[in-house]
Amino acid sequence: MRLHLRLLAVLVVIGISIFAASLIGVAGLREVRQVNDSAIARRATLIAETLAARLLATAPELEQELIDVVSRRTGVELVVFDRQGRSIRDAALEVPSVDQLALFRRQRDGYGDTRLGRARFHVTPMGPPPADRFLIAFVLAPESSESSAALFSALLGVFLFLSAGAAVLMLAVGRDAGRDIAFVQARIQAMARVRSEPTGEPIPMRSIDEVGHLTQAFNELVARFALAQHAYSDDLSRAQAADRERSAFLAAVSHELRTPLNAILGFADVLLSGVDGPLTPDDFDNVTQVRGSGRHLLGLINDILELSALESGQLKIQLEPVSLNDIAAAVVREGAILAADRPVEVTLVADEQVTVLADPRRLRQIVTNLVSNAVKFTERGEIAVIVRSNTSSGTLTVRDTGPGIPPEESVRIFQEFRQTLSERQRRRGTGLGLAITRRLVAMHNGRLDLESEVGMGSAFTVSLPVVRK
Ligand code: ADP
C-alpha cells in the first residue's frame, strides 16, 4: 500500500515535469518563432532598402551585376520590377508572376512562396514617390531553426533530468523499504535472542523515510535499553554479592548459634532427667524455662535459615508421586501426641487414595506446620485432616475448632513475622511458619487457602497437582 502511494507520488512528479517541460517548450517555441520572424523581416527590409539606394546610385549597366553579387553574398532572392509588376532585373530561381509582384507591392511586407520555399519579403520603392521601379527581397524562412532544435534538446535534457531526479527520489525514499524493515527486524530479533548482543550498537540509518525514522527511534530505544541494562547488571552484581554475603553470614550464624544452643538443650535435658542428682523445684522450673527458651530460639534460627534458603533459591525440591494419605496419617499421629494434654481430638478423614506430585519431605513439612499450628491454637474440640481430590488437584485441609482468624488478618498471617493480634500479645511463635509453608506450596505449583470464622475455627487447604493412575 505504502509502496503504491510512493509510486503514485513519483508518477505525479514525472507527470508534472512533463507538463512543465511542454509548457516551457510551447512558450519557448513561440518566442523563438517571433524572434526569428522579426530578424528575417529586418533582414529583408535592410537588404531591400540598402540595395535600392545603391542601385539608384549605380549605372544601369552595372545594376544586374550588383544585384547578383548581393544575392550571392546574402542568399537573398531579389527582383526589380515596375509599377505593373513586370520584372526588370532579378537574381532569383524563379521570378514571381506579374500579379504576384503587384500584390507583393501593395502588401510591402509579408510571406510569399519562392522556388526555394516560403520566404519573407519586403518591397521598397526605388526613388522618391511616385517611384516607377520597385525592389523586392525574399529572405527564406528556415523550416526549423537551429535555435528551436537547441531548445528542443534543452527541454529534452530538462525532462530527462527531472525524470532521473524523480527516480532517484523514489529510490531514496522507497528504496528497499522492505529490506530495511527486515534489517531492523532482524536486529531486534537478534537482540531478543542473544543476551550478549551489543545492544548499544546503533543500526545504520539507510533511508530518510518512515523506516529511517523507525530506525532512529529504535536506536534511541537501544541506547536507553543499554543504559538500563548496565544499571541492571550493576544492581544485579551488587545484589548477588549481597546475597552471597548474606548466605555466608547465615551459615556462620547457624553454626555459631546452633552448636552452643544444642549443647545448652542437651545439658538442660540431662539436668531435668535428674541423672546428675535431683533438682530443687525452683531449679527445675528455671531449667525448664531455659530449655523452653532454647527450643524457641533453635526453632527461630531454623525457620530463618529455611526462609533464607527459600528466598535465595538455594532450597531445591524433587517432585515425585506421593501419597497424600500416608503423609496425612503420619502427621495426624504426631499431632495426636502433641495434643494429648488437651481435650482435642485429631482425626484423619480420607475416603479415597490421593496421590500428588510433591517432594515428600517438604510435603510433610507443609502438613506438619499446619497441623502443629492447629494444635497450638486449639484448646478444645477437634482437628480434622481431610484428604480429597478433584479433576486437577489433590487437597489436604486442616480444620480446627480454634479461635479462628479475623478476615482483616487472613492475608497478613502468610507474611513473614506476622501473627494475629492476640497471638502477638501472647508473645508465642515466630510468625514464620505460614510464610515458609506458603512458599513451599508455591514451589510445588500448588496453592494455600484459608477459610476461617472468628470463634468457630480455621481451615487451611493445600492444593497440589494430582497424579492419576
Ligand atoms: P507462628 O505460629 O510462629 O506465630 P505462623 O506463621 O505459623 O507463625 O502463624 C502466623 C499467625 O497466624 C499465628 O501467630 C496466628 O496468629 C495465626 N494462625 C496460624 N494458624 C492458626 C490457626 N490454626 N488458628 C488460629 N490462628 C492461626
Side-chain angles (χ1 to χ4, degrees):
M1 180 67 189
R2 212 173 56 158
L3 225 73
H4 287 165
L5 279 178
R6 282 205 183 118
L7 201 67
L8 194 71
V10 170
L11 287 177
V12 167
V13 171
I14 292 177
I16 290 174
S17 72
I18 292 174
F19 182 68
S22 312
L23 271 186
I24 296 169
V26 169
L29 267 182
R30 188 173 293 167
E31 179 66 21
V32 164
R33 280 221 187 94
Q34 274 173 5
V35 169
N36 273 344
D37 201 41
S38 61
I40 293 166
R42 270 202 310 279
R43 194 164 139 80
T45 308
L46 186 73
I47 291 171
E49 284 177 2
T50 318
L51 183 61
R54 283 181 65 186
L55 283 173
L56 283 176
T58 305
E61 61 276 15
L62 295 175
E63 280 184 356
Q64 184 59 49
E65 197 184 330
L66 181 62
I67 290 171
D68 287 340
V69 169
V70 171
S71 174
R72 250 197 329 273
R73 284 204 190 142
T74 58
V76 172
E77 294 200 322
L78 299 158
V79 179
V80 178
F81 60 99
D82 63 13
R83 195 165 275 280
Q84 282 71 40
R86 286 188 299 257
S87 164
I88 300 166
R89 299 184 199 291
D90 72 271
L93 272 178
E94 188 184 56
V95 178
S97 67
V98 173
D99 292 342
Q100 274 179 321
L101 283 175
L103 182 72
F104 290 158
R105 182 171 68 84
R106 283 197 297 279
Q107 289 178 345
R108 277 190 66 110
D109 278 298
Y111 279 97
D113 291 320
T114 67
R115 277 287 288 273
L116 289 173
R118 197 167 152 73
R120 179 93 198 189
F121 67 83
H122 179 77
V123 179
T124 183
M126 292 176 66
D132 53 353
R133 291 196 305 167
F134 299 86
L135 174 68
I136 184 163
F138 293 97
V139 176
L140 280 177
E143 290 276 294
S144 77
S145 75
E146 276 177 21
S147 44
S148 63
L151 183 76
F152 263 121
S153 51
L155 281 178
L156 191 69
V158 168
F159 167 67
L160 287 177
F161 178 74
L162 285 178
S163 302
V168 168
L169 193 74
M170 184 171 78
L171 276 182
V173 172
R175 183 186 66 96
D176 299 347
R179 252 174 48 198
D180 283 352
I181 291 170
F183 180 70
V184 174
Q185 193 184 4
R187 280 298 308 268
I188 295 172
Q189 278 171 348
M191 277 175 55
R193 203 172 43 242
V194 190
R195 287 184 68 188
S196 59
E197 175 80 5
T199 44
E201 200 179 289
I203 301 174
M205 223 173 106
R206 307 205 295 184
S207 57
I208 49 165
D209 59 350
E210 296 94 317
V211 182
H213 291 311
L214 178 79
T215 311
Q216 200 182 8
F218 179 72
N219 282 341
E220 277 169 27
L221 187 76
V222 166
R224 285 188 199 179
F225 184 73
L227 278 178
Q229 200 184 30
H230 280 138
Y232 168 72
S233 57
D234 282 358
D235 284 355
L236 191 70
S237 47
R238 267 203 296 273
Q240 280 169 343
D243 221 41
R244 278 196 297 276
E245 276 171 28
R246 191 176 71 152
S247 297
F249 170 75
L250 284 171
V253 166
S254 149
H255 181 72
E256 294 299 319
L257 291 182
R258 276 204 285 199
T259 312
L261 208 51
N262 280 325
I264 290 168
L265 289 174
F267 283 129
D269 281 341
V270 170
L271 285 173
L272 289 173
S273 69
V275 176
D276 289 345
L279 296 175
T280 64
D282 272 359
D283 288 343
F284 192 85
D285 280 352
N286 288 340
V287 177
T288 306
Q289 190 109 38
V290 167
R291 188 174 64 174
S293 298
R295 279 186 181 159
H296 176 72
L297 206 55
L298 190 61
L300 183 62
I301 292 168
N302 287 340
D303 280 356
I304 289 175
L305 282 172
E306 180 123 336
L307 195 66
S308 154
L310 272 167
E311 271 182 350
S312 62
Q314 283 170 342
L315 194 142
K316 300 271 183 282
I317 57 166
Q318 212 101 53
L319 295 180
E320 59 186 77
V322 184
S323 164
L324 206 49
N325 302 65
D326 290 355
I327 302 260
V331 179
V332 163
R333 274 197 300 277
E334 286 170 8
I337 296 169
L338 282 176
D341 59 342
R342 271 168 278 171
V344 172
E345 202 185 342
V346 184
T347 55
L348 172 66
V349 182
D351 297 334
E352 53 181 323
Q353 286 295 322
V354 180
T355 306
V356 290
L357 204 59
D359 182 313
R361 205 175 126 223
R362 297 299 167 190
L363 179 56
R364 179 151 183 169
Q365 189 182 352
I366 291 167
V367 181
T368 303
N369 274 354
L370 296 177
V371 171
S372 58
N373 267 357
V375 171
K376 189 158 67 174
F377 296 111
T378 308
E379 294 300 332
R380 61 179 53 82
E382 188 194 6
I383 295 168
V385 178
I386 305 148
V387 177
R388 286 205 191 103
S389 74
N390 57 39
T391 42
S392 59
S393 47
T395 61
L396 182 144
T397 302
V398 180
R399 177 180 295 141
D400 63 47
T401 51
I405 297 158
E408 66 274 13
E409 307 211 75
S410 61
V411 174
R412 253 190 302 151
I413 55 161
F414 292 102
Q415 295 168 356
E416 290 80 11
F417 302 105
R418 293 298 185 125
Q419 298 176 303
T420 55
L421 185 65
S422 56
E423 196 50 31
R424 273 204 306 281
Q425 283 160 354
R426 284 179 172 185
R427 297 176 181 278
R428 275 196 316 191
T430 60
L432 287 175
L434 282 180
I436 293 172
T437 306
R438 181 177 57 91
R439 283 174 190 264
L440 284 174
V441 172
M443 281 178 85
H444 283 81
N445 299 318
R447 39 180 301 175
L448 181 58
D449 295 299
L450 164 66
E451 267 181 73
S452 184
E453 206 177 316
V454 176
M456 301 299 286
S458 317
F460 287 87
T461 300
V462 187
S463 310
L464 297 170
V466 75
V467 180
R468 297 253 171 239
K469 289 185 184 153

